[in-house]
Amino acid sequence: MELVVDYVNTERCGVSFGGNKYSIDLVSMDDSSSSSVIKNVYNYSKEISPAPALYLGPYSSGLTGALAPLTQANSQLLIAPGAASTSVFAGRDKAFGLFVKSSSYMETSMSMLGAAGAKTVAVMFEDASFTRGVCAAVPSLAQNNNMMIVNYTQIPAAPTQDEMENVAEHYKDINPDVVVACLYDAGCGEWVRAQRAKGWSAKAEVLTVCVGSQAFIDDVGSDANYFMTPTPWHQTLDVTDTVTGWKPMDFANKYQTVTSEIPTYHGAAGGGSVSLAVAAIEAANSLSPTALSTRIAAGGIDTLYGSLSFDSNGQNSAGALVLQNDAKGHVQIVYPPSFATGQLIYPMPGWLERDCLNGKNCSGHGTCNSDGSCLCNTGFKASGDSCLFNQCPAGSATAQDSSSGELCVTCTPGKYTVTAGQQFCQNCGMESYSDSSGAITCKTCPDHSRRIFDITNEDSILGTSRDQCTCKEGTVKNEDGVCLRCPSLATCLSGTTIPTLDIERGAWRVSNTSMDVLECPIEVACPGGPGASTQCNEGYQGILCASCEQNYFYHKDSNSCKVCGEPSIQSAAERVRASVVLSILFFLLMISFGGFLVTRFAPGLVQGPALDKLNAFSGWLLKLRKKSKMKLKCLMSFAQISANIAFNCSINFPPSVETMSNVFSIANIEIVPALGIPCWLKQFDYIDTMMSYTLGPIFVMVAIMGIFVINNSDTLFSLKNDEAAVVATSKFTKAQLKEMYLLPDEVEACFTRFELKGIRKTFAFFDRNGGGSIDVEETYDLVKTLIEREITLEDVRVMFKEAKGLGPKDEMENEEIDFRAFVDMTQRAREKDELVALSLLADEVEAEASRSNASGYIYAILFLSFLALPGTTTCIINFFKCREFKMPEGSTESYLYNDYTISCNSDQYKSYVGYAVFMIFVYPIGIPLIWSVMLYRSRHILKDVRAMKREAMFGEPRVGHLSFLVESYLPKFYYFEVLECVRRILLTSAISLADEDSAIAPIAGIIISLVFVFIFSELKPFKEPETSALGIILMYTITVIFLAALIVKSNTVSNDDPVFGALLMFTIFGGLTLGLAISIYGTDPFNATAKRVAAEKAAQLAALRTKVNSMWQVINGGSNKGEIERLACW
C-alpha cells in the first residue's frame, strides 16, 4: 500500500478531483487480529481529523466481517483486500472484496485436474473461516469435473506434524489422486514433512497458500517442488495499472527492492486496493461514498492486482490462477492456458524419484524410476542414482587408442554400428549411405537408385551423402534426390536427372527443371530432345508450342502453322469448306427469304414476262422452304453439336471422323480460320476471335433492322405517297370512286392519306373468287349485303376456299388481303359512311403490310441467332477455361486453354472478363430468354389450334414474326424451340467446362442426349411425323458419338484404330441416311395411308360444296336470317 501511496503523492502530486490535487494520508491501525478489537479501532478512527475518506479492510474474512457492518451503517466505503467469504459482502452495497471468493477459489484447480485425468480427491482443512469456506466448495467442484471425494477431514488450527502424520498415514491407505489441503502458511511445511515421513505423496497436491512464498521454500527446500496453489495474482500477469502505469512485474521489482522479499498476492492486493480507490475517486470526481461505490461496481478498472470487476455482492468476479513449483523450484502459472508460463506436471514424482532427480540424476546417462533407481542408456549400467560406463553404445566403437581418455569413438559418416559393444564401425552398403556421425543404421538410397563408386577412391566407397545415390534406368532424380518413375513421353537412362530428361518429339515441358511432360496439341511444333534443347520449332510459340508466331497462320487440315502468303496457306479442303459454307448460307437465305425479296422488290425492277418468271421462282422457293425448313433445322442442330464433341471432351477422334467434324463445323459459321484473318490482322488472338464471334452477329442484326427501316420509311415516318404512281397501279380511279360514293371531297382526302392498293385488292378478292363476273357496282352491293346481314368476311373466305377444294392451311394465289381489317371495316360501316370505313381499312392494311414486312426481317434475325448461338456461346464459355502450368521458379501460371499466348493472370485477360460475362447474358442467357418472352406474350394464340388456323387464313398478322420459332412444332408445343435451344447450349458449350482430364464431359453428353431423346420420343412435338423421326434418330446418333468419345477418353480404344474409325463413321452416316430417308419418304413409303386420307377428304369436300352453294344462294338473295346463321356456324 505504501509503495502506491508514495507514488501517487510524489510522482502524481496527489489525487485529482474537484479541480484540485490532494495528497493521500494512509493511516494504519493495529486490530491485533481480533474481531473484538475491530469496533474499538473503528470508533477511534472516527475521531481522526479529517475523517477517513474510505477504509481498507483488515486481512481475513473474520476480521473484515466485523468491520463491514460498521462502515455500511455509517454509509462509508470499504475495500477489503483479504476477505474471501461471501457473507462479509452480501447485502452491503459499499463493501468490495479483491480476493477471489472462497466458493470459487478452487474452481480452476479442480477443472484443470479433472481434465488431466484425476479421479479421486481427499480434502483436509484447518478449522478457520477462510480454509473452511474454501474447502467447503471442493465436493461440488469435484463432482462437476467427474471426480469423487474419498475423504473430507477437519484438523485443528495451526496443526502439528504429529497431527499431520496421522492424516498422511490414512491417505497412504486410501491413496487418492489429489489432496486438497486448505491450510495457512505454517501448516504447509508440517504437511510436506508429514508426507515425506510416511513415504507417500499424491499425484497432485493443492495448497490454499504457500506456493510462490519464499518462506515456504526456505522451510522445506526442494520438497516444495511440484506442489500447486490457486492464487488471485502473480507477477507475470499482463495488465497495466491505471494509476501508476506499473505492470505486476514492475510492482514485484519495487517491492523486492524495498523488502528484499518476493511479493505474494497479499502485498499486490494491498497495492491494488489503493489503486482501485484512487482510480474511482478520479473517475467519479468525488469523495462521496455513493459515487465511489457506483463507479467501483461498474468494474473495468485496471490495477497492478489485475483488471477488477465485481459481482452483485461486491466480490471480485475473476477466477484464480494455478501456480506450481517446477522441478527446479521455479514458480509457473499452469492454468488457465491463456496465462500459462509452464506445463502442468501430473502426476508429480514420488519421494524416491525426487531424491534421484535431486541427486546425481543417473549421471546424465539415464532417467530416474519411481522407486529412485536409474534406467540407464545403452552402454551404461546402474549404480545407485548413477549410471556407469559398461560398453560403447550403438553408433560408436571401442577406441583403439585410449590415450586421449575417450573410451569410445563415434562412427564417422559413411559408417555405423547397430548394437553396443562393437569393436569397429562398418561401411554402409551399395544401396545405402550415412550422412552424419554416430549412425546406428545406414539410410537407404531412394527407391530405384544405388551408389556407384570408384574402388580406387576411398571417398567414393564411403556412402556419405544422398547425392551419391544414382537413379536406375527408367527413373529420373528430382531436386530432392528422389528417383521417380520416368514420365510418359520421355526416355530415362541410368543417372538421368530432371535437367537432362530426354522428352519425345511432340512433347513439351515448361523448362528443363520441370517433371511435367505434356503432349503438344500440334505434334510438329515440339521437337523434344534432352536437356535445355529448343522447346518449339520455327513458327510456333508459347505454352505447349500451341500458338503460331507472327506472320504464321494455323492450318487446320494439316494441324500446323504455315507462313502467311504461301500458296499452300489454304488447302483444297479449306477452300472447299469455305465455299461450302458460303454456298449453304446462300442456299438457306434464298429458301428463307428469297420469296419475300422477289415479292417485295421485283415489281419495281422488272415488268412483263420477266416478272412472271420471278413470281414463279418465288412460289417455288416458298414451297421448297415449307417442305424443307423443319428438316434443315434438325440437320443444322445435329451438325452444330457433333462438330464440337471432340473438342469439348478433350479427345481426338480417328482422322476420318475429325474430317467429318471439320465439315460439320460450317454449321457454327466457322469461316474465320478458312478466311485466314490472322494473316490479315497480324495480331489476331482468341480475344479478337471472341469479339468477332460476339459482335459479328449483332452487326448483321443491326444491318437487317436498318434495311427494314429504309424499305419501310414511308410507313414508319408517314412519308407522302406518290399519287400518280398509286393511280397508275390502281384498278379503281378517282372518278369510279366518286360515282360509287358521290363524296368527291372525302375521296380526295383518301388519296392523300393512303394507297388505293389495299382497297383494290380487297375488292379484287370478290372478283377472283366470285366467278370473275362481279364488277365494281356488284362488289359494292355485296359489301352492303354483308353489312346488312351481319355475315363476316371470314365466313365468306372459308366458303370460297372450301368451294375450290382448298384446305385451311392452303394459300390462294396472289392473296394479300387483311380480312380481319376488312371485317372491322364492315362493322364500322353500320354506323359510319362506307368511305370512312374504307379509309380506316386502308390505314390498317398499310400497318399490317408493315408488320408483314417486319415479320420477314424478324425471321431473318431469329434465323441468324439460331445459327450463331452454339458457336458464339462455346467461344464465350471457353474464354473462362484456363489451364495451370508450374513455372520454373515454382509459381503457378494459368493460360487460356484455346490460346496459350494469353495469360489468365494478365491485365489484358482480366480487362475482358467483364465483357465475356456480359456476352453470356446476351447469348446463352439472353437469346433463350428473349425467345421465351416473345412466345409467352403470344401464348394464348400459339397454343390454340383454332386461333392458329385463323392466323394462317389471315396471313398470320399477329404471330407471323414468330414463325421461325413455332413453324416446326404443334401448337401445344409452341415453346419447344426454347427447349431445343437449351439442348444445343448444353451439348455444345456447357459440357466444355468439365475438367479436361476427367470423363465428366462425355458422360454428361450421354445423359443429356438420352434425356432429350426421351422427351422428344414421348411428346413428338413436331408437326410432321417424318421430322420427329429425323430428330430422334439424329439425337441417338449424337448419343453414340458421345459414347465413342467416352471410349476414347478411357483409353479403351486408340483414337487411330482404323476399325473403330470405320464403325463410328458407319454409325454417323447410317443415322444420317436413315433419318433423311424417313424424312423424304415417310414411315409409309407406298403412301397407302395418304391415299386413303385423300379419298375420305374428297368425299367430304363434295358434301361441303353442296352446302357452300346453298349458303351462297342465301347470301345473294335469301332473306331467312336464321338459316344464314345456321349455315355460317356449320
Side-chain angles (χ1 to χ4, degrees), residues 345-373:
I345 301 173
Y346 178 88
M348 65 182 191
W351 297 112
L352 295 177
E353 185 177 352
R354 293 191 200 189
D355 291 341
C356 176
L357 292 171
N358 296 330
K360 294 184 178 179
N361 195 15
C362 302
S363 306
H365 297 294
T367 57
C368 294
N369 293 319
S370 60
D371 61 0
S373 62

Side-chain angles (χ1 to χ4, degrees), residues 892-905:
T892 300
E893 189 77 19
S894 295
Y895 286 88
L896 196 61
Y897 188 81
N898 275 34
D899 188 344
Y900 290 109
T901 62
I902 299 176
S903 170
C904 295
N905 305 110

Side-chain angles (χ1 to χ4, degrees), residues 951-1018:
E951 282 288 316
M953 289 189 290
F954 293 167
E956 298 181 335
R958 291 175 291 177
V959 297
H961 61 293
L962 301 175
S963 59
F964 179 82
L965 301 178
V966 300
E967 61 189 357
S968 302
Y969 304 101
L970 295 170
K972 65 179 178 179
F973 298 120
Y974 69 91
Y975 54 85
F976 246 69
E977 191 62 45
V978 176
L979 194 61
E980 169 66 8
C981 176
V982 173
R983 181 179 78 97
R984 290 188 297 135
I985 291 175
L986 290 176
L987 294 179
T988 59
S989 307
I991 63 173
S992 66
L993 294 174
D995 183 15
E996 61 178 299
D997 296 326
S998 72
I1000 294 176
I1003 292 174
I1006 293 172
I1007 294 173
I1008 294 170
S1009 297
L1010 290 176
V1011 168
F1012 279 93
V1013 165
F1014 174 79
I1015 293 173
F1016 278 78
S1017 300
E1018 289 295 315

Side-chain angles (χ1 to χ4, degrees), residues 165-176:
E165 287 183 7
N166 292 333
V167 177
E169 183 69 31
H170 179 57
Y171 284 0
K172 183 176 181 180
D173 294 335
I174 61 176
N175 196 27

Side-chain angles (χ1 to χ4, degrees), residues 551-572:
N551 297 322
Y552 281 80
F553 171 70
Y554 178 64
H555 191 252
K556 188 171 184 179
D557 282 350
S558 63
N559 191 28
S560 62
C561 292
K562 300 287 186 180
V563 178
C564 291
E566 285 187 358
S568 61
I569 186 64
Q570 287 181 304
S571 66

Side-chain angles (χ1 to χ4, degrees), residues 79 114 155 171 219 339 508:
I79 299 176
I155 59 175
Y171 284 0
D219 187 15
F339 294 99
W508 178 93

Side-chain angles (χ1 to χ4, degrees), residues 46 301 316 429 440 475 550 831 850 905 927 946 992 1029 1045 1095 1106:
K46 291 167 61 177
I301 298 177
N316 190 349
I440 59 174
T475 61
Q550 190 172 351
E831 300 176 357
S850 176
N905 305 110
I927 289 178
R946 295 181 61 186
S992 66
T1106 302

Side-chain angles (χ1 to χ4, degrees), residues 60-216:
S60 84
S61 297
L63 297 176
T64 306
L67 177 62
L70 301 176
T71 56
Q72 181 69 24
N74 291 279
S75 297
Q76 293 173 310
L77 183 66
L78 171 63
I79 299 176
S85 177
T86 301
S87 61
V88 175
F89 305 96
R92 298 185 173 101
D93 62 342
K94 294 179 177 57
F96 296 93
L98 273 63
F99 203 78
V100 177
K101 55 187 175 182
S102 57
S103 59
S104 301
Y105 194 66
M106 286 290 176
E107 185 174 0
T108 51
S109 300
M110 301 307 289
S111 297
M112 175 189 69
L113 293 172
K119 298 299 181 184
T120 56
V121 180
V123 180
M124 171 181 58
F125 60 93
E126 284 190 49
D127 185 14
S129 176
F130 168 68
T131 53
R132 188 185 306 107
V134 169
C135 277
V138 172
S140 61
L141 294 174
Q143 184 178 4
N144 293 340
N145 291 280
N146 299 315
M147 293 184 288
M148 181 176 65
I149 299 296
V150 296
N151 181 262
Y152 193 80
T153 302
Q154 175 179 310
I155 59 175
T160 64
Q161 182 174 339
D162 291 338
E163 292 171 330
M164 287 296 196
E165 287 183 7
N166 292 333
V167 177
E169 183 69 31
H170 179 57
Y171 284 0
K172 183 176 181 180
D173 294 335
I174 61 176
N175 196 27
D177 294 335
V178 178
V179 170
V180 177
C182 298
L183 307 170
Y184 285 108
D185 293 323
C188 294
E190 301 298 342
W191 172 239
V192 171
R193 283 187 286 272
Q195 289 185 88
R196 173 172 281 281
K198 295 299 179 180
W200 176 87
S201 63
K203 295 179 181 178
E205 303 245 2
V206 183
L207 306 175
T208 47
V209 292
C210 300
V211 174
S213 169
Q214 185 63 46
F216 181 50

